[in-house]
Amino acid sequence: MADRKATLTLDGKEFDLPVLSPNIGPDVLDIRKLYGQADVFTYDPGFTSTASCESAITFIDGDAGELLYRGYPIEQLAEKSTHLETCYLLMNGELPTAAQLNDFTNRVTRHTMVHEQMHQFFRGFRRDAHPMATMVGVVGAMSAFYHDSLDINDEWHREVASIRMIAKLPTIAAMAYKYSVGQPFVYPKNSLSYAGNFLNMCFAVPAEDYVVNPILEKAMDRIMMLHADHEQNASTSTVRLAGSSGANPFACIAAGIACLWGPAHGGANQACLEMLREIGTVDRIPEFIARAKDKNDPFRLMGFGHRVYKNFDPRAKVMKESADEVLGLLGIENNETLKVAKELERIALEDEYFVSKKLYPNVDFYSGIILEAMGFPTSMFTPIFAISRTIGWISQWKEMISDPTGKIGRPRQLYVGPLKRDYLDLRAR
Ligand code: SDX
């Protein structure tokens, strides 16, 4: 396409801004030279209108409610793929052959144990520490152990660090859970699937055999896949920004975990289930809907709304189907929390406030119901999101690191502070 451009007119001067076109999605105005030419910054605090990078990994169409991982619709992957195959796809760009998948699975499986000395880290935490606090600490500390995979400029180091984190995050999350409930750590078992191994490490105890329930194993694998990547969300942007300084991969992923913890982001799954429990019964829903609409009340419907989706979050649709399937197969159809969630969704989707603001259930609305039915406490919901999103963070980090034009991320500001002034001696204040 001919070189398109937008023209900015400022104080009688004109500045050309090249228009760049993506394969799909909105065009972008290339403002990289704007400050040098016009001595002005653009202003976009929540990055609502800002493309921070060029990426080929995940595409979201918020209006259509569409999510593609390397071009493949999430609905098709949820039905036909597995989390590990999706990890390969996100990281390498193509679905693996049988041989590639087998090799990738074997490499991940053989990296699931953590250095035995890392067990001591957990002893330093209080038993009632939130598992996310433990994960931020332990994942960041991986750079204190795995010195042979810290050099971001070495392709092999990057690959080994990536495999280690995909493999060890479930082990670390399970250890954080076991530590919080006062049970002994359970070592990984190479004979189990990725999701089955995580369930075993969380729920097996030395006192009796634990058999992985295939229904829960499949549901867990699907939950992991649905959360795997999501374009330039807050935690992924955090990982990219940390990586742009040349920080080691473990530090970057630990930064992503810290950002994900917030209730406006990955912490919403825990907050959502706690909200559904607080609502308690269907007859109390109108009271909470009214609070969500009250500008003077900071309360928001957790699990509702999204910066990008102005239609249904496609992951929420799959999650809702999975909730029905899992609870049905577990014989807990009359789960009160699920009833409240479905009725809340029905009422909200008919309410003018939510319709006008295009607020729909997001990925966090139903995930907690399934996780609770599996036996997880709410404090483990966001750690499970972190396990799932590790592949997205790693894939985006690798894409950024391999960009030869990459620079350190360093935004500017709209300064509204005091003008220059002289120091005032204490006696004169
Ligand atoms: C995730 O970015 C990603 O991709 C994230 C994620 C991923 O996979 O990485 O999808 C995962 O984080 C999902 C979102 C989980 N968070 C929640 O469920 C928390 C509740 N949701 C809201 O906090 C909010 O919807 C956000 C944070 C998700 C989005 O916020 P935005 O885009 O900044 O929108 P906004 O806050 O400007 O809200 C727009 C309007 C506001 O009203 P007005 O000021 O225009 O009058 O909608 C209202 C808000 O008050 N609103 C809500 C609401 N969400 C937005 N009102 C009631 N309940 C809500 N949940």
Side-chain angles (χ1 to χ4, degrees):
M1 181 178 293
D3 293 343
R4 291 168 57 213
K5 61 182 176 34
T7 302
L8 171 70
T9 302
L10 183 62
D11 302 334
K13 289 182 187 166
E14 290 193 344
F15 303 93
D16 287 344
L17 302 175
V19 176
L20 307 180
S21 293
N23 291 349
I24 29 177
D27 287 342
V28 301
L29 299 185
D30 183 347
I31 58 167
R32 284 175 287 185
K33 293 181 178 163
L34 180 63
Y35 177 52
Q37 290 169 353
D39 197 30
V40 292
F41 298 142
T42 57
Y43 183 63
D44 186 13
F47 307 126
T48 50
S49 302
T50 293
S52 61
C53 63
E54 182 179 290
S55 180
I57 299 172
T58 292
F59 178 74
I60 303 170
D61 182 331
D63 294 326
E66 185 175 64
L67 168 58
L68 308 178
Y69 285 169
R70 298 286 190 177
Y72 294 99
I74 191 68
E75 297 85 349
Q76 292 184 26
L77 292 169
E79 188 189 334
K80 299 174 180 174
S81 187
T82 64
H83 182 63
L84 270 192
E85 182 177 76
T86 301
C87 286
Y88 184 97
L89 170 66
L90 287 168
M91 203 157 78
N92 299 293
E94 297 296 336
L95 287 169
T97 62
Q100 288 167 333
L101 180 59
N102 186 50
D103 170 61
F104 181 74
T105 302
N106 286 337
R107 283 193 292 144
V108 169
T109 304
R110 279 164 179 72
H111 278 81
T112 47
M113 288 174 68
V114 295
H115 190 295
E116 192 67 8
Q117 209 172 309
M118 288 186 81
H119 289 208
Q120 308 315 319
F121 279 130
F122 290 85
R123 307 285 172 231
F125 295 107
R126 287 175 42 157
R127 289 279 181 175
D128 60 354
H130 194 291
M132 284 297 278
T134 313
M135 285 183 73
V136 170
V138 175
V139 172
M142 287 174 80
S143 47
F145 277 88
Y146 301 109
H147 300 143
D148 59 345
S149 58
L150 293 179
D151 180 357
I152 62 164
N153 299 308
D154 180 317
E155 172 67 30
W156 180 242
H157 278 226
R158 294 203 296 267
E159 180 70 10
V160 170
S162 301
I163 295 292
R164 276 178 166 147
M165 283 190 278
I166 296 166
K168 296 179 195 310
L169 260 287
T171 308
I172 291 168
M175 291 170 78
Y177 171 60
K178 283 303 204 186
Y179 188 72
S180 73
V181 294
Q183 290 181 358
F185 297 141
V186 175
Y187 285 93
K189 262 186 172 176
N190 291 352
S191 58
L192 297 174
S193 71
Y194 191 80
N197 187 34
F198 176 63
L199 292 172
N200 186 63
M201 290 189 290
C202 287
F203 298 124
V205 289
E208 57 188 48
D209 293 337
Y210 174 80
V211 178
V212 175
N213 179 325
I215 300 165
L216 302 190
E217 184 179 18
K218 180 168 180 286
M220 177 54 72
D221 191 79
R222 184 182 293 160
I223 286 175
M224 288 176 168
M225 180 203 300
L226 290 173
H227 289 82
D229 191 48
H230 214 239
E231 198 211 73
Q232 305 313 316
N233 58 82
S235 54
T236 297
S237 300
T238 301
V239 170
R240 278 180 172 264
L241 202 52
S244 74
S245 77
N248 74 70
F250 304 110
C252 295
I253 300 308
I257 295 172
C259 177
L260 184 75
W261 194 1
H265 189 14
N269 52 18
Q270 172 174 349
C272 180
L273 197 93
E274 287 163 355
M275 173 191 74
L276 293 171
R277 280 191 189 141
E278 186 188 354
I279 295 172
T281 52
V282 167
D283 60 334
R284 291 195 63 205
I285 289 176
E287 171 196 335
F288 284 82
I289 294 269
R291 285 187 56 194
K293 293 155 67 172
D294 179 355
K295 280 290 161 224
N296 300 318
D297 188 330
F299 173 78
R300 286 193 163 184
L301 282 186
M302 302 315 282
F304 257 79
H306 199 277
R307 171 63 58 77
V308 178
Y309 290 121
K310 300 310 173 191
N311 192 325
F312 239 93
D313 180 335
R315 302 167 298 177
K317 275 185 180 172
V318 178
M319 205 73 81
K320 181 178 179 181
E321 290 157 13
S322 196
D324 280 333
E325 180 189 348
V326 170
L327 273 66
L329 290 168
L330 292 176
I332 37 181
E333 296 95 328
N334 62 347
N335 176 293
E336 193 61 31
T337 310
L338 182 58
K339 263 190 223 162
V340 169
K342 286 185 170 179
E343 183 59 7
L344 175 58
E345 176 187 357
R346 186 191 66 77
I347 295 173
L349 295 185
E350 291 173 356
D351 185 292
E352 179 46 32
Y353 174 89
F354 294 90
V355 171
S356 64
K357 293 180 185 297
K358 299 184 177 180
L359 301 174
Y360 292 87
N362 58 47
V363 68
D364 295 307
F365 190 66
Y366 283 103
S367 55
I369 292 167
I370 303 172
L371 294 173
E372 183 187 54
M374 288 181 174
F376 289 104
T378 54
S379 61
M380 278 301 289
F381 292 3
T382 309
I384 290 167
F385 194 149
I387 293 171
S388 314
R389 186 54 55 88
T390 295
I391 182 56
W393 291 329
I394 283 170
S395 303
Q396 300 270 352
W397 169 76
K398 289 184 82 170
E399 182 178 67
M400 180 207 64
I401 289 287
S402 54
D403 176 358
T405 65
K407 289 175 177 291
I408 187 168
R410 206 279 185 219
R412 303 302 302 274
Q413 63 181 4
L414 173 67
Y415 178 69
V416 292
L419 302 181
K420 188 164 73 173
R421 51 183 171 169
D422 294 327
Y423 180 80
L424 212 54
D425 290 337
L426 192 56
R427 294 187 302 279
R429 290 176 212 160

